[in-house]
Amino acid sequence: MDNKLFGAHYFSLDKPQTFEVDHQQLYFFRTFIGNHDIKVELGDCIYYFDEHLERAEIKKGPCTVSTKHLATVIRGYMHPDASASLEGVTTLPYVNGCSTKQVFPPLRPGDPTLQYLKMPPCSKEQEHHIHSTFRVVLVLKGKGKSIVGMGSGNIETELVPGSVCILEPMCPHHFETYPGEHLEAVPLHIFTSIGAGEKNHPMFNGTVAI
Ligand SMILES: [Fe+2]
């Protein structure tokens, strides 16, 4: 069984690679893994991380950005330039002991958003579920595993700091953690779901249990 059959793609930061969304999808984006110099066109914007993985940044095209870790250019979306610290606690409850904070909340309902997911040890990030839009996830701290597929066709992939996981819309999946270790990851939602309240935010509303 192949992860790609279910719509999951895995990368690590030590190998420069590019992922381009297939042309049947609703929204166009490109993700750059590892070292890249990226030209961002007028009308697009880029979500990326600083050299030390301490801050998340957004820049609106036209511009050129050099990145070492992970960057995603979203076509036809012009979020104003922004910078946010990745420090600090999570602020919104999620499920199974997991929590989140909105690093860059959606400016309008349905806009893209960068979230910060924190999973305690021995947790599952939701039950097995799907989303209606892409997720581009970078693991920052801790270890865990990503489970993709259905029933006997489930495939487990280890997650470590620097793992990048790109999940297509409707890819059935969840993450799990081990005893003794948190997992912290930053999922970028390539367009998302409405909300910012206690139990009304893009992590909750963009998740459909199956
Ligand atoms: Fe998910």
Side-chain angles (χ1 to χ4, degrees):
M1 205 66 76
D2 184 351
N3 271 303
K4 287 183 183 157
L5 182 64
F6 292 106
H9 309 263
Y10 296 94
F11 308 88
S12 69
L13 294 182
D14 49 22
K15 194 171 157 203
Q17 289 178 83
T18 305
F19 176 89
E20 182 176 292
V21 69
D22 80 75
H23 298 180
Q24 297 301 311
Q25 296 291 335
L26 198 53
Y27 305 110
F28 186 85
F29 71 94
R30 276 195 195 95
T31 293
F32 300 85
I33 300 115
N35 277 306
H36 289 276
D37 295 317
I38 304 161
K39 192 173 170 215
V40 185
E41 304 290 340
L42 174 66
D44 302 344
C45 70
I46 183 167
Y47 287 71
Y48 65 104
F49 300 94
D50 77 332
E51 189 182 344
H52 306 292
L53 285 174
E54 291 170 347
R55 302 191 71 80
E57 314 278 351
I58 306 176
K59 266 195 193 301
K60 194 168 82 166
C63 64
T64 301
V65 171
S66 296
T67 63
K68 272 182 71 172
H69 306 294
L70 181 67
T72 296
V73 174
I74 301 181
R75 171 73 49 82
Y77 184 64
M78 297 194 287
H79 191 296
D81 290 1
S83 178
S85 171
L86 294 174
E87 290 179 355
V89 296
T90 48
T91 51
L92 293 168
Y94 191 28
V95 287
N96 296 338
C98 301
S99 54
T100 189
K101 72 175 169 180
Q102 307 203 66
V103 181
F104 295 121
L107 295 180
R108 298 186 68 252
D111 277 3
T113 178
L114 182 70
Q115 300 280 319
Y116 192 112
L117 170 69
K118 188 168 183 182
M119 297 180 61
C122 306
S123 174
K124 288 170 78 172
E125 180 252 352
Q126 265 285 8
E127 299 307 315
H128 218 53
H129 65 276
I130 54 177
H131 309 291
S132 54
T133 54
F134 267 87
R135 299 291 183 270
V136 179
V137 184
L138 171 64
V139 176
L140 293 175
K141 295 177 189 170
K143 290 197 183 89
K145 56 186 172 181
S146 169
I147 293 110
V148 161
M150 291 300 290
S152 60
N154 272 346
I155 310 150
E156 296 188 357
T157 303
E158 291 298 312
L159 299 174
V160 297
S163 295
V164 173
C165 174
I166 299 181
L167 300 168
E168 296 179 14
M170 313 311 172
C171 169
H173 71 282
H174 71 274
F175 292 171
E176 291 184 9
T177 48
Y178 303 115
E181 204 160 15
H182 283 76
L183 181 77
E184 299 185 31
V186 274
L188 175 64
H189 299 195
I190 311 288
F191 295 91
T192 191
S193 306
I194 189 170
E198 194 75 2
K199 285 200 171 181
N200 178 25
H201 56 72
M203 291 292 275
F204 257 118
N205 296 336
T207 298
V208 180
I210 54 175

